[in-house]
């Protein structure tokens, strides 16, 4: 009997091979001949979809596995296989075998047919044996390690070079990632030379001298409006750290703001007490920064503050700051800064708040809440869910490249000699202390946006575009996950009886988040709804939440005085002693400013190979019902995009970070 076997080679650089590749079909009733994939002309070239004839002495029945074997021909030439299609002669149904993996060296890979199956649905011994062997091999390949105490565990890899080839960047992405960083640093090195490296600034306008080609419309808008109080307030709602602000019902005891202090900044005929009761007063408290050890850069100690900022939602002016205290403990040397203070004093106080925002959004909102949380899910998924499991198929597109980008972060960004150590005030020991503190208070509930906005009391804040767009996307994700889960789990008991799924959640909680027992996620799944919520959190975190914190960082940080990465002088203790000279001496110097611009451009720019949210280029699901669920998600995301675009029409300062077309399907940067 003959079968037509269609083999699809990857589309990225170096996916093709000139090595020998053999295929064997493994069916219910036996195996086919071992057949070399060799047609006239070139075979298995990049992007090729080639047909071959495979014979067997008797009908195989349903084909269970496709066995692929690669052997070296002269030199080693790795091969990436996308998928294999098998069609029996006589026009029978075509079976799809999703592969999406590298064959490296003389290797044998067995690929399961694409229909999603839970363990209790497996009947044949060949399928059960393959499932068991796959997980055993994965658990040898993917191991946990504690990179540092007091933070989530991660993959056991010293660098990205230690990762399995399937978890590495494609060649084009690797070249672009490394090339773009070199380009940014080279351009800014030229700027440093142009303005005499080592020299500091004379005034704030001097920062324009590094504001060359690396620009964006919002960065330029920021340069023009950063001193304005409404713009300062706007960034708590729609900047790179939009989850810090919360409603203030009662002033903290360590922030002694009186009604008389701020009366002039409120609407007529109201008081601070009235506005507190009305829900129009908000607080941003950076207490987590208190006592964090400061970095030492080129033998000079940097400085850190832990400010509190009181904001008022003014009916005419929007959200505006009305009081700032730069340390957690009030004293004679810790004045409360007010908008009526000398202009430079108020400006410097706001800079200190924005400096704290840089540390918090980079380390907490970005690194911990998205990258590190997602890595725990990724490692557990690889260790406990085989490729044929429906939840593996659902999650794996949203975990693509997460391991490599996190390895690169640990070796290049936050390592003892990384970029943070060179230019950021919390670089070095401070970064770890800050992450550990944030991890001690991180909760599963806070990662669910529908609860987060309620818990922070910000459901009625005006012009909170991040909130509005987030809830649209959260609903779309939750609906998508609910539909997909319902295809494979008809009841709570089916969730409870899925032993692979239960091993997965147990390892997430007991291994990945082992040092955070108060995280709030149980180590077993009892209901479909619990599963749906967790999967929704994972997909939301790896898509929309990461986009909201990552994608705008160049916009808000390129104009360095708006969000300085470090401060070279301590916080002011005397409002009347603040001069332009003190501000210039406090802000990052030329070298630090150039690196800040380079790294935020590198991390925040649009990735040329980005896969937009909801676009499943690698098709792991093959069932028509599952494919229809994906199509429904795409339509819902398209509708959300149109709604967001329409909402932004006519706005000078647009919020487009959560347009689905601008959200990547996984954390790749």
């Amino acid at each position: 009997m003959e079968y037509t076997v269609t083999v699809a080679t990857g589309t990225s650089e170096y996916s093709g091979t000139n090595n020998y590749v053999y295929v064997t079909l493994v069916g219910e009733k036996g195996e086919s001949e071992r057949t070399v994939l060799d047609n006239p002309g070139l075979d298995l070239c990049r992007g090729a979809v080639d047909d071959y004839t495979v014979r067997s002495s008797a009908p195989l029945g349903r084909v269970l596995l496709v066995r692929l074997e690669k052997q070296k021909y002269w030199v080693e030439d790795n091969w990436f296989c996308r998928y294999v299609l098998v069609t029996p002669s006589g026009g029978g149904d075509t079976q799809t075998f999703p592969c999406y993996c590298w064959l490296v060296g003389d290797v044998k890979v067995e690929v399961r047919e694409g229909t999603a199956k839970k363990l209790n649905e497996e009947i044949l011994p060949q399928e059960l044996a393959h499932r068991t062997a796959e997980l055993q091999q994965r658990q040898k390949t993917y191991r946990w390690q504690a990179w540092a105490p007091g933070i989530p565990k991660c993959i056991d890899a010293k660098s990205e070079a230690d990762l399995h080839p399937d978890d590495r960047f494609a060649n084009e992405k690797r070249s672009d990632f490394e090339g773009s960083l070199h380009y940014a640093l080279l351009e800014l090195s030229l700027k440093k030379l142009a303005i005499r490296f080592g020299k500091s600034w004379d005034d704030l306008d001097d920062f324009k001298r590094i504001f060359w080609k690396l620009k964006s419309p919002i960065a330029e808008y920021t340069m023009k409006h950063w001193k304005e109080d409404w713009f300062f307030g706007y960034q708590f709602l729609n900047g790179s750290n939009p989850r810090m602000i919360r409603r203030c019902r009662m002033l903290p005891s360590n922030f002694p703001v009186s009604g008389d202090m701020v009366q002039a900044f409120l609407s007529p005929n109201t008081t601070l007490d009235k506005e507190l009761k009305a829900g129009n007063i908000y607080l941003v408290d950076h207490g987590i920064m208190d006592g964090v050890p400061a970095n030492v850069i080129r033998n000079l100690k940097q400085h850190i503050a832990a400010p509190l900022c009181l904001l008022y939602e003014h009916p005419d002016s929007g959200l505006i700051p009305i009081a700032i205290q730069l340390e957690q403990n009030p004293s004679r040397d810790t004045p409360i800064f007010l908008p009526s203070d000398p202009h430079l004093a108020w400006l410097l106080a706001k800079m200190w708040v924005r400096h704290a925002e840089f540390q918090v959004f980079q380390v907490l909102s970005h690194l911990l809440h998205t990258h590190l949380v997602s890595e725990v899910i990724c490692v557990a998924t690889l260790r406990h869910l085989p490729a044929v499991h429906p939840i593996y198929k659902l999650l794996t597109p949203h975990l693509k490249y997460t391991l490599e980008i996190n390895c690169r972060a640990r070796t290049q960004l936050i390592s003892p000699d990384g970029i943070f150590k060179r230019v950021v005030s919390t670089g070095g020991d401070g970064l770890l202390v800050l992450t550990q503190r944030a991890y001690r208070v991180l909760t599963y509930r806070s990662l669910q946006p529908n609860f987060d906005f309620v818990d922070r009391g910000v459901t009625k804040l005006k012009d909170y575009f991040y909130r509005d767009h987030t809830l649209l996307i959260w609903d779309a994700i939750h609906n998508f996950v609910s539909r997909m889960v319902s295809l494979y789990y008809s009841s709570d008991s089916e969730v409870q009886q899925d032993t692979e799924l239960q091993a997965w959640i147990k390892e997430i909680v007991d291994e990945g988040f082992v040092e955070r027992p108060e995280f709030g996620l149980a180590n077993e799944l009892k209901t479909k709804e619990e599963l749906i919520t967790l999967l929704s959190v994972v997909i939301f975190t790896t898509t929309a939440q990461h986009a909201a914190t990552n994608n705008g960082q160049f916009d808000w940080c390129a104009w360095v005085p708006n969000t300085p990465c470090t401060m070279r002088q301590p916080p002011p203790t005397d409002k009347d002693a603040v001069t332009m000279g003190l501000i210039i001496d406090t802000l990052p110097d030329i070298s630090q400013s150039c690196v800040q611009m380079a790294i935020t451009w590198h991390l925040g720019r649009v990735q040329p190979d980005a896969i937009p949210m909801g676009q499943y280029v690698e098709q792991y699901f093959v069932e028509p019902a599952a494919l229809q669920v994906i199509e429904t998600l795409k339509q819902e995301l398209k509708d959300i995009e149109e709604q967001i675009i329409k909402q932004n029409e006519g706005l000078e300062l647009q919020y487009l970070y959560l347009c689905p077309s601008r959200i990547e399907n996984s954390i790749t940067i």
Side-chain angles (χ1 to χ4, degrees):
M1 184 169 178
E2 293 187 349
Y3 295 83
T4 299
V5 175
T6 303
V7 180
T9 296
T11 57
S12 63
E13 283 183 339
Y14 309 120
S15 291
T17 185
N18 59 14
N19 285 183
Y20 293 115
V21 176
Y22 301 87
V23 63
T24 305
L25 306 182
V26 180
E28 295 173 300
K29 301 178 181 179
E31 296 188 4
S32 72
E33 297 175 2
R34 181 174 182 261
T35 304
V36 65
L37 301 183
D38 186 18
N39 286 332
L42 295 175
D43 292 281
L44 307 178
C45 298
R46 172 185 176 184
V49 179
D50 301 308
D51 289 336
Y52 302 91
T53 299
V54 174
R55 296 177 176 85
S56 67
S57 58
L60 301 175
R62 182 168 62 92
V63 178
L64 308 177
L65 302 167
V66 170
R67 181 182 301 135
L68 297 169
E69 299 173 77
K70 187 178 78 66
Q71 292 182 359
K72 183 172 70 173
Y73 174 72
W74 291 109
V75 295
E76 176 58 46
D77 192 12
N78 301 336
W79 177 50
F80 187 87
C81 177
R82 286 186 287 156
Y83 60 83
V84 177
L85 305 178
V86 177
T87 307
S89 60
D93 292 338
T94 297
Q95 292 179 267
T96 302
F97 295 77
C99 185
Y100 302 111
C101 71
W102 285 97
L103 278 71
V104 178
D106 290 348
V107 67
K108 176 175 69 176
V109 172
E110 291 184 337
V111 184
R112 283 286 300 269
E113 192 271 330
T115 302
K117 284 187 176 182
K118 305 192 296 294
L119 178 60
N120 62 2
E121 295 167 337
E122 301 280 34
I123 300 173
L124 298 175
Q126 302 101 305
E127 294 175 322
L128 286 166
H130 179 271
R131 197 173 188 118
T132 300
E134 179 185 10
L135 288 183
Q136 288 175 344
Q137 183 57 51
R138 292 249 210 95
Q139 288 169 14
K140 292 178 182 177
T141 302
Y142 300 99
R143 302 170 306 278
W144 293 100
Q145 85 166 348
W147 185 71
I151 64 174
K153 285 191 176 179
C154 62
I155 188 69
D156 183 7
K158 293 181 180 178
S159 74
E160 65 275 9
D162 294 334
L163 294 174
H164 189 277
D166 292 344
D167 304 300
R168 297 297 311 276
F169 287 170
N171 187 69
E172 296 96 326
K173 181 171 182 64
R174 185 179 305 116
S175 299
D176 174 77
F177 181 91
E178 295 169 354
S180 69
L181 180 58
H182 293 155
Y183 166 79
L185 292 172
L186 175 61
E187 182 190 333
L188 291 162
S189 295
L190 294 175
K191 293 177 182 181
K192 286 189 287 187
L193 289 173
I195 53 180
R196 298 193 301 279
F197 174 71
K199 179 180 181 294
S200 193
W201 315 104
D202 292 323
D203 58 48
L204 293 172
D205 281 344
D206 281 356
F207 283 89
K208 294 177 182 177
R209 293 152 70 185
I210 61 169
F211 215 61
W212 292 359
K213 287 166 58 178
L214 298 185
K215 293 183 180 181
S216 77
I218 292 180
E220 294 186 72
Y221 188 95
T222 299
M223 181 179 67
K224 296 174 183 176
H225 297 278
W226 70 283
K227 295 180 182 179
E228 299 167 25
D229 285 354
W230 75 266
F231 185 76
F232 177 85
Y234 175 92
Q235 292 179 82
F236 290 117
L237 304 179
N238 304 308
S240 287
N241 192 34
R243 298 180 61 235
M244 196 79 175
I245 188 170
R246 59 179 57 244
R247 180 181 173 182
C248 182
R249 301 176 186 275
M250 180 183 298
L251 290 173
S253 59
N254 63 334
F255 194 15
V257 177
S258 69
D260 290 342
M261 285 182 182
V262 298
Q263 185 63 49
F265 320 123
L266 306 178
S267 295
N269 305 316
T270 191
T271 65
L272 180 59
D273 285 341
K274 287 181 180 179
E275 294 301 324
L276 283 166
K277 292 175 183 176
N280 295 324
I281 302 296
Y282 294 86
L283 179 68
V284 175
D285 185 352
H286 294 96
I288 199 166
M289 298 281 294
D290 191 30
V292 170
N295 196 4
V296 176
I297 301 175
R298 297 196 298 274
N299 298 319
L300 296 175
K301 181 184 177 183
Q302 308 299 290
H303 296 273
I304 292 172
L308 299 105
C309 180
L310 200 66
L311 298 114
Y312 169 52
E313 189 174 33
H314 194 286
D316 300 321
S317 306
L319 187 71
I320 56 172
I322 57 174
I324 294 172
Q325 180 178 293
L326 296 182
E327 299 292 358
Q328 290 290 302
N329 298 315
S331 69
R332 181 175 298 177
D333 291 333
T334 309
I336 294 176
F337 291 83
L338 304 169
S340 55
D341 287 337
H343 170 69
L344 292 180
W346 179 239
L347 184 64
L348 182 56
K350 289 191 292 181
M351 288 182 187
W352 273 103
V353 174
R354 293 297 303 163
H355 164 259
E357 282 284 286
F358 183 96
Q359 317 305 317
V360 168
F361 103 74
Q362 289 286 16
V363 178
L364 279 57
S365 304
H366 187 193
L367 176 66
L368 174 62
H369 292 178
T370 64
H371 283 258
L372 301 188
V373 166
S374 299
E375 186 169 0
V376 168
I377 306 298
C378 184
V379 175
T381 299
L382 289 164
R383 285 175 54 83
H384 288 286
L385 299 180
V388 75
H389 197 287
I391 304 308
Y392 178 90
K393 291 174 177 286
L394 176 64
L395 288 184
T396 195
H398 301 289
L399 302 173
K400 186 179 179 68
Y401 293 153
T402 297
L403 295 183
E404 170 145 357
I405 195 61
N406 283 9
C407 283
R408 286 181 178 268
R410 284 188 283 271
T411 57
Q412 300 172 19
L413 195 65
I414 61 175
S415 59
D417 58 350
I419 291 175
F420 266 56
K421 177 62 180 172
R422 289 168 52 194
V423 298
V424 178
S425 60
T426 53
D429 295 340
L431 186 146
L432 180 57
V433 169
L434 189 55
T435 308
Q436 290 168 330
R437 288 183 180 181
Y439 186 46
R440 285 199 291 269
V441 297
L442 177 65
T443 65
Y444 176 53
R445 181 180 173 90
S446 71
L447 300 178
Q448 301 172 57
N450 51 330
F451 291 140
D452 174 57
F453 296 119
V454 173
D455 293 346
R456 291 190 289 116
V458 293
T459 57
K460 296 182 180 179
L461 259 172
K462 297 176 183 176
D463 297 331
Y464 199 178
F465 304 126
Y466 162 76
R467 175 200 61 210
D468 299 341
H469 300 174
T470 285
L471 291 176
L472 291 174
I473 292 172
W474 170 258
D475 286 346
I477 291 172
H478 191 274
N479 291 339
F480 166 65
V481 172
S482 181
R483 296 186 192 106
M484 196 66 85
V485 166
S486 295
L487 291 179
Y488 301 100
Y489 298 88
S490 61
S491 65
D492 294 342
S493 62
E494 290 192 5
V495 172
Q496 297 165 14
Q497 293 163 12
D498 187 340
T499 55
E500 290 171 337
L501 190 69
Q502 296 299 336
W504 172 74
I505 184 62
K506 182 173 176 58
E507 187 148 299
I508 288 172
V509 175
D510 294 349
E511 191 71 43
F513 296 127
V514 62
E515 296 193 43
R516 183 73 184 112
E518 301 85 7
F519 183 58
L521 178 63
N523 67 355
E524 59 180 333
L525 291 164
K526 296 180 179 179
T527 67
K528 277 178 60 178
E529 191 53 44
E530 288 177 356
L531 174 59
I532 290 166
T533 298
L534 176 56
L535 297 174
S536 298
V537 167
V538 173
I539 295 175
F540 173 77
T541 299
T542 58
T543 57
Q545 190 56 55
H546 181 258
T549 55
N550 177 79
N551 294 2
Q553 57 179 298
F554 179 74
D555 291 338
W556 309 110
C557 300
W559 180 247
V560 174
N562 181 63
T563 317
C565 62
T566 192
M567 296 295 237
R568 296 180 293 136
Q569 295 294 326
T573 58
D574 182 353
K575 299 178 183 182
D576 294 324
V578 177
T579 63
M580 182 56 69
L582 174 62
I583 291 177
I584 295 302
D585 289 343
T586 300
L587 287 171
D589 63 20
I590 293 171
S591 175
Q592 294 162 339
S593 299
C594 287
V595 174
Q596 174 175 324
M597 281 193 72
I599 195 61
T600 55
W601 175 81
H602 172 64
L603 297 177
R605 71 195 178 94
V606 176
Q607 299 299 297
D609 64 339
I611 299 174
M613 182 182 179
Q615 303 301 311
Y616 294 93
V617 176
E618 295 181 346
Q619 296 187 1
Y620 291 91
F621 285 106
V622 300
E623 302 93 314
L627 296 178
Q628 182 55 54
V629 169
I630 291 173
E631 289 304 312
T632 301
L633 171 66
K634 289 180 180 179
Q635 184 58 52
E636 289 186 9
L637 294 177
K638 182 180 178 183
D639 294 342
I640 290 171
E641 177 113 4
E642 292 174 355
Q643 186 174 341
I644 291 174
I645 295 296
K646 185 175 181 180
Q647 183 189 60
N648 277 275
E649 287 179 358
L651 293 181
E652 187 177 10
L653 184 57
Q654 298 187 337
Y655 187 81
L656 299 172
Y657 302 118
L658 294 183
C659 283
S661 65
R662 301 188 181 203
I663 299 172
E664 278 204 75
N665 215 26
S666 62
I667 297 176
T668 72
I669 189 65

